[in-house]
Amino acid sequence: MSLLERLKEREGLDLEENDLSKAKGTRKDPYWETKGRLHQRLIDEMERLPRENEHQSVEDNEEQIKNLIKSLLDEEVTLSRVEKIHLAEELLDEVIGFGPITALLNDPNISEIMVNGPEQIYVERKGRLEKVNTVFRDNEHVLHIIEKIVAPLGRRIDESCPMVDARLPDGSRVNAIIPPVALNGPTITIRKFAKDPFTIEDLIRFGTLTVEMAKFLEACVKARLNVVVSGGTGSGKTTFLNCLSSFIPVDERIITIEDAAELQLRQPHVVSLETRPANIEGKGSVTIRDLVRNSLRMRPNRIIVGEVRGGEALDMLQAMNTGHDGSLTTGHANSPRDMLSRLETMVLMAGMDLPVRAIREQIASAIDLIVQQSRMKDGSRKITHLTEVLGLEGDTIVTQDIFIYEQTGVDEYGRAKGIHRATGIRPKFSEKLKGSGVVLPENIFSPFPGFKHLTLKGGI
């Protein structure tokens, strides 16, 4: 039972959410002055709490903190019972959580939190943006929460380094940017991940892809094809990459490389690597490119790069072309063709003076399949293309779509209507699938929708 629920029960109150919002008041009300004073007293009292050992954090003793909050509130005669209940929860969030956004982080229906300065907070709920009533006290309050997020990770944020990427203990991705770069005040963007990672069955249920497409992708991963997941911001690339990785056999050694560790692989033999920014002297940074090069010496069966966005694309392609097949990665692009163009640009960012044809040869021989994911206007995510990379003809990389999503319109609620279907083309790497012992049903590439669906049970 939460502290808020315990106080409700003790006071015999039956409160609605709007009652608590009224109790909170505005940022200029005496409520905030009282909260600030009690928060400081709470911190002082916590410093006096006994610890079992020197490594124990004060915040670890949650039950004692709750008792301290209760005793402090009992001394406040000017506060109403409603205000005490709300203040108790907020003080607990300040000490062992992340302040005003703790409740938003705990809401399973919220997938993204956007703090645009102390007074403006938006969330994405079920694919739609909405403003919430939650506010911070001032800029310093937001900065304190940012510091609380990044400090345990050894990251820093200040005027000389006003931007930072980090993650929460549950793996949620955090980006923070502060003044003078952010004109609205300290800004936080949090991409939440579900406590239980989505499975491929969940994505099928959401309509992101079909059972046939899932079967095809399972075969591609097991046959060690090199796959790139492309899409725009917020299209669900990392979530889908996590689902794809679930098809990797449990007896393989997997190296994951990310800016902020987000992937949640369930295989037993996983080594997770994370980049490191430069220190205050501008030294000691470890980039994704450094980690990709180092991973080649770690005897990997699979290399998974969270996202390629620069010169590491060249190292990734070379790894794919030199025996490290079965690699997975993501990239930002609006279509499979755009993804190929972006890979060319990223290879040039490595500083190597390579002719365009040589770059395209590397790409065409390294990449087997591009999975294009898009976020629709209603907030839903769809796999819009499963595109095979055939090779190079002249100076052009040739591709062909194996599965596509065709949108036919929207329903009365504004939700996208459409259908996933096969194009009727059998991929050129079908023989490679068979050579790996993977046999797909003959009708899986049928272009006619409505044929008998397959089942995921029992594997391929």
Side-chain angles (χ1 to χ4, degrees):
M1 182 182 293
S2 71
L3 180 62
L4 179 61
E5 291 169 336
R6 287 165 58 189
L7 282 170
K8 284 182 185 179
E9 184 178 298
R10 180 168 67 87
E11 299 291 346
L13 296 176
D14 182 19
L15 299 177
E16 298 296 332
E17 186 64 34
N18 57 352
D19 294 327
L20 295 176
S21 297
K22 291 173 185 175
K24 181 176 181 177
T26 66
R27 292 168 59 248
K28 296 181 180 179
D29 282 347
Y31 174 88
W32 285 92
E33 297 177 11
T34 304
K35 179 183 173 182
R37 175 171 50 81
L38 289 175
H39 187 204
Q40 187 58 51
R41 285 188 62 191
L42 178 60
I43 292 173
D44 294 340
E45 292 291 334
M46 284 169 55
E47 290 298 323
R48 301 188 185 99
L49 287 176
R51 305 186 193 184
E52 293 181 4
N53 56 68
E54 60 181 5
H55 301 294
Q56 183 187 26
S57 170
V58 176
E59 289 82 355
D60 292 338
N61 206 337
E62 184 174 336
E63 197 59 38
Q64 284 188 280
I65 294 173
K66 289 179 179 179
N67 291 332
L68 279 177
I69 293 174
K70 179 181 176 301
S71 63
L72 288 175
L73 289 174
D74 286 341
E75 298 174 12
E76 294 293 326
V77 295
T78 59
L79 293 176
S80 69
R81 288 180 296 175
V82 175
E83 289 173 327
K84 285 184 179 181
I85 288 171
H86 195 79
L87 190 51
E89 191 77 355
E90 286 197 340
L91 287 172
L92 189 64
D93 289 342
E94 291 289 346
V95 175
I96 65 174
F98 296 103
I101 60 174
T102 304
L104 305 178
L105 289 168
N106 293 332
D107 188 338
N109 295 318
I110 293 176
S111 57
E112 198 143 5
I113 301 168
M114 291 143 278
V115 178
N116 307 331
E119 299 183 41
Q120 191 181 74
I121 301 178
Y122 284 85
V123 299
E124 182 188 86
R125 200 190 307 266
K126 297 181 179 179
R128 305 227 179 231
L129 287 180
E130 59 182 75
K131 188 178 180 182
V132 294
N133 293 326
T134 306
V135 293
F136 286 82
R137 183 179 64 252
D138 49 30
N139 282 348
E140 287 69 28
H141 193 188
V142 187
L143 286 168
H144 171 70
I145 297 302
I146 294 174
E147 192 65 33
K148 195 171 184 179
I149 292 172
V150 303
L153 303 174
R155 309 265 168 134
R156 67 185 181 91
I157 185 166
D158 49 42
E159 286 193 9
S160 63
C161 184
M163 300 175 288
V164 69
D165 285 314
R167 54 182 164 79
L168 297 180
D170 65 356
S172 296
R173 181 193 312 168
V174 181
N175 174 269
I177 182 167
I178 64 173
V181 179
L183 302 183
N184 293 347
T187 302
I188 311 172
T189 308
I190 301 175
R191 177 80 52 80
K192 285 177 56 183
F193 283 156
K195 291 183 179 178
D196 295 320
F198 288 132
T199 63
I200 199 72
E201 288 85 357
D202 292 326
L203 298 188
I204 292 170
R205 191 172 67 253
F206 298 154
T208 303
L209 74 168
T210 63
V211 176
E212 293 76 25
M213 295 166 71
K215 277 286 185 180
F216 174 66
L217 287 168
E218 182 181 2
C220 292
V221 173
K222 288 185 174 179
R224 302 182 64 84
L225 299 185
N226 295 320
V227 181
V228 176
V229 181
S230 69
T233 301
S235 61
K237 300 185 298 298
T238 304
T239 298
F240 193 74
L241 182 64
N242 214 52
C243 291
L244 277 184
S245 67
S246 67
F247 296 136
I248 299 175
V250 295
D251 59 347
E252 295 191 11
R253 176 176 168 85
I254 306 168
I255 310 292
T256 68
I257 301 169
E258 301 171 86
D259 268 331
E262 303 171 60
L263 293 172
Q264 298 168 286
L265 275 63
R266 298 182 180 181
Q267 288 84 348
H269 198 165
V270 178
V271 178
S272 299
L273 306 179
E274 187 178 57
T275 62
R276 186 180 71 182
N279 59 22
I280 197 166
E281 289 86 19
K283 299 177 181 179
S285 69
V286 179
T287 66
I288 283 189
R289 189 170 188 193
D290 296 330
L291 295 176
V292 170
R293 285 199 297 257
N294 187 79
S295 69
L296 303 181
R297 306 183 186 99
M298 298 176 67
R299 201 268 179 206
N301 289 114
R302 308 267 185 160
I303 299 173
I304 302 178
V305 179
E307 182 181 339
V308 289
R309 57 169 69 92
E312 65 271 7
L314 176 60
D315 301 289
M316 187 73 186
L317 292 173
Q318 287 180 324
M320 291 175 174
N321 279 322
T322 54
H324 296 89
D325 49 359
S327 298
L328 307 173
T329 189
T330 73
H332 280 270
N334 295 322
S335 70
R337 177 60 58 181
D338 287 345
M339 187 68 243
L340 296 173
S341 299
R342 282 217 67 220
L343 282 170
E344 285 185 39
T345 304
M346 288 187 284
V347 169
L348 292 172
M349 291 169 67
M352 305 291 288
D353 190 15
L354 296 172
V356 172
R357 181 176 176 82
I359 296 173
R360 291 179 180 173
E361 284 176 348
Q362 285 275 316
I363 295 171
S365 60
I367 307 298
D368 295 303
L369 185 71
I370 298 175
V371 179
Q372 180 67 34
Q373 184 154 347
S374 298
R375 177 176 172 174
M376 316 307 286
K377 288 186 177 180
D378 62 357
S380 63
R381 278 79 169 175
K382 304 286 185 186
I383 300 297
T384 58
H385 296 81
L386 294 184
T387 302
E388 179 187 15
V389 179
L390 293 172
L392 202 63
E393 287 188 5
D395 288 333
T396 303
I397 300 175
V398 180
T399 62
Q400 63 181 10
D401 294 332
I402 309 300
F403 288 89
I404 59 172
Y405 174 75
E406 292 181 340
Q407 185 172 350
T408 56
V410 294
D411 62 16
E412 61 270 25
Y413 302 105
R415 295 176 300 201
K417 290 173 59 179
I419 187 170
H420 287 100
R421 68 172 182 85
T423 59
I425 299 172
R426 182 172 290 273
K428 189 177 178 181
F429 52 67
S430 294
E431 294 304 316
K432 186 174 182 180
L433 297 182
K434 290 181 181 178
S436 301
V438 177
V439 180
L440 288 168
E442 289 296 324
N443 64 351
I444 196 170
F445 302 112
S446 169
F448 304 107
F451 65 89
K452 185 177 179 181
H453 285 286
L454 308 171
T455 173
L456 279 174
K457 294 179 181 178
I460 296 295

